[in-house]
Amino acid sequence: MYMSSIQAVYSFWNERPCNIKHSTKSEDNVEFFDEIAKKRYRAEPHILNFIDSTQWKGKKVLDLGSGIGTDSIQFAKAGASVTCVDLTDSGIALCKKNFALHDLSGVFYQGNIEELDTILPADQLHSFDLIWSFGVVHHTPNPKRVFEQIPKFLNDSGEVRCMVYS
């Protein structure tokens, strides 16, 4: 049952990464990603306030459920060291492309955030200043498992910013 549930989540988001239809431009063009971001933040301007990217310069940010990297890019542009994790192959591939087209660097992992400790290397334990997840955790079959993973990777003065839909 569990594997089929996570497989269903994977199949859904792998076929249609979040906000992918917000641009008709080529995915090989930075304007594709910029148009998606513009539409996202115009529709939900509160996200940029919640990100508050300026306070993360020089800090380590972990984005759980990064998708195509729309929010991750905001942190990277502000000077954060960003690690992105997404369940889907297509999300991570587009996230990498988004970073490359913006001439930004990041670290990328494909995997289930319920099993974060099997995805991230041991040297990442207790290393992140911010763990970010916006609109993702409620899609996973076992959200409790995600929240059990987070403390393993958050440093002592770190912060979690997570938004779930009710």
Side-chain angles (χ1 to χ4, degrees), residues 6-18:
I6 197 67
Q7 186 57 45
V9 173
Y10 173 89
S11 294
F12 180 87
W13 292 109
N14 199 55
E15 291 173 19
R16 59 184 87 58
C18 191

Side-chain angles (χ1 to χ4, degrees), residues 13-84:
W13 292 109
N14 199 55
E15 291 173 19
R16 59 184 87 58
C18 191
N19 296 326
I20 200 77
K21 300 293 184 189
H22 286 160
S23 180
T24 57
K25 294 180 174 28
S26 167
E27 295 172 3
D28 294 323
N29 190 318
V30 72
E31 286 81 17
F32 170 79
F33 294 100
D34 288 349
E35 184 175 28
I36 289 171
K38 184 178 178 182
K39 287 182 181 180
R40 173 178 170 86
Y41 300 132
R42 185 176 46 230
E44 298 183 85
H46 57 277
I47 296 173
L48 288 175
N49 290 331
F50 192 45
I51 286 174
D52 190 15
S53 61
T54 57
Q55 75 172 336
W56 304 109
K57 182 178 183 174
K59 305 284 186 170
K60 290 184 66 177
V61 174
L62 174 61
D63 186 349
L64 300 180
S66 61
I68 67 171
T70 305
D71 294 342
S72 305
I73 288 289
Q74 302 307 312
F75 294 111
K77 283 180 178 178
S81 172
V82 181
T83 299
C84 302

Side-chain angles (χ1 to χ4, degrees), residues 86-107:
D86 196 77
L87 178 63
T88 67
D89 297 308
S90 63
I92 284 297
L94 287 167
C95 190
K96 287 178 181 179
K97 187 179 286 190
N98 192 358
F99 270 71
L101 289 170
H102 281 97
D103 198 27
L104 296 167
S105 61
V107 179

Side-chain angles (χ1 to χ4, degrees), residues 62 64 85 112-120 149 153:
L62 174 61
L64 300 180
V85 179
N112 181 354
I113 60 173
E114 293 177 7
E115 301 167 352
L116 202 54
D117 56 0
T118 68
I119 300 167
L120 297 179
Q149 294 289 309
F153 294 92

Side-chain angles (χ1 to χ4, degrees), residues 120-147:
L120 297 179
D123 66 354
Q124 297 298 301
L125 290 168
H126 305 290
S127 69
F128 291 96
D129 300 293
L130 173 66
I131 297 181
W132 169 267
S133 186
F134 196 95
V136 174
V137 176
H138 56 275
H139 291 292
T140 193
N142 297 293
K144 181 180 177 187
R145 291 179 71 186
V146 176
F147 289 110

